[in-house]
Amino acid sequence: MCFSAALALPLLSNLEKNSANCTSNCSGKDEDSNKGQSLKLSLPAYKWRLVIAYDGTRFSGWQYQQSTPTVQCILEEALTKKTKINRKELCLVGASRTDAGVHAWGQVAHFVTPFNYETLDRVHRAVNGLLPSDIRVREFSPAGPEFHARFSVTSKIYCYQVHNSTIMDPFLRHYAYHSEYKLDADVMRDAAKHFVGKHDFSAFANTSRNDRVPNPVKTILRFDVIEKGPLLQLEVEGSGFLYRQVRNMVALLLQVGRQAVPPDIVVRILESRDRKELAKYTLLLPPHGLSLETVKYNEEHLILPTDSPASSFGRHHSISKCKVLFV
């Protein structure tokens, strides 16, 4: 662990924090959040941004829970061992509270330390060495005082994979939903267009165990249906998503693809603003086909602090050359 007063980053004494973010209230699992009440940090702190990939198969989602393994819990344990800071002081915050069984390639989180690092390559490697093989930190970067893993988000991209074949590919069984019905990708694209724009998505949200009532109005920027042989990738980008919204939207598109319902059914269900209306046509899809691909941010909040250490993306090992004597 390298400390350096000479490389001091801006102090975060006036940085607003959501108190629930630092204590990681484990009752809520919706993919969006409200700022709620803020807590100001009075001590100097340095902020760090992580880009994380994980196979969500064996985890009970992202968010910390005391009784079951979660990605946040495992990551906090690794960071605590490396930094010697307890989890409440780390204030680890994730961009999205992915549900149990959901995967991620581009989850983003931040945490704080009372000290600075001169270089990030070693700490990056050390943290990954403490993590199980189904979780990896892909990027370890310094972050400015304005950056917040959740509140600086401008959009998120999720992808749901469907294997559309009579026989399931066993290598995709943990990462794609199997549809034995022949799906018409063209009509699915027509239906997906109805999701694009600003809408009230109450009909596509499951009831969360969270006490908070999120704003049901969200903006979908694009909803693509991509064909790769028998594999369909339904990729959606939006300003935010309600609890299980993506899986519910994809479930309806599969019904459209099977030609069980017409493409304009999307409009009728959206206008109803009633989850019971969606339930007449489809059930929630399982989580294993869903992955958080990318989180996009306000570019100004990604500006690195002055004189901060370089970001770490991992590095290859190298073999030292030596002379070999042959007799």
Side-chain angles (χ1 to χ4, degrees), residues 70-95:
T70 67
V71 178
Q72 181 179 5
C73 179
I74 302 298
L75 182 56
E76 282 180 344
E77 288 179 357
L79 290 172
T80 296
K81 288 179 181 178
K82 180 57 184 171
T83 64
K84 311 302 181 186
I85 301 172
N86 67 52
R87 63 176 299 269
K88 288 187 177 181
E89 293 175 337
L90 282 171
C91 285
L92 181 68
V93 179

Side-chain angles (χ1 to χ4, degrees), residues 2-14 43-49 111-120 140-147 303-311:
C2 303
F3 307 154
S4 174
L7 293 176
L9 304 183
L11 302 186
L12 306 183
S13 57
N14 61 348
L43 296 176
Y46 301 87
K47 188 180 284 189
W48 311 98
R49 179 173 62 89
F111 70 99
V112 295
T113 61
F115 50 78
N116 193 15
Y117 290 105
E118 289 183 351
T119 178
L120 293 178
F140 197 129
S141 303
E146 297 300 322
F147 177 79
I303 297 174
L304 298 183
T306 305
D307 297 327
S308 61
S311 299

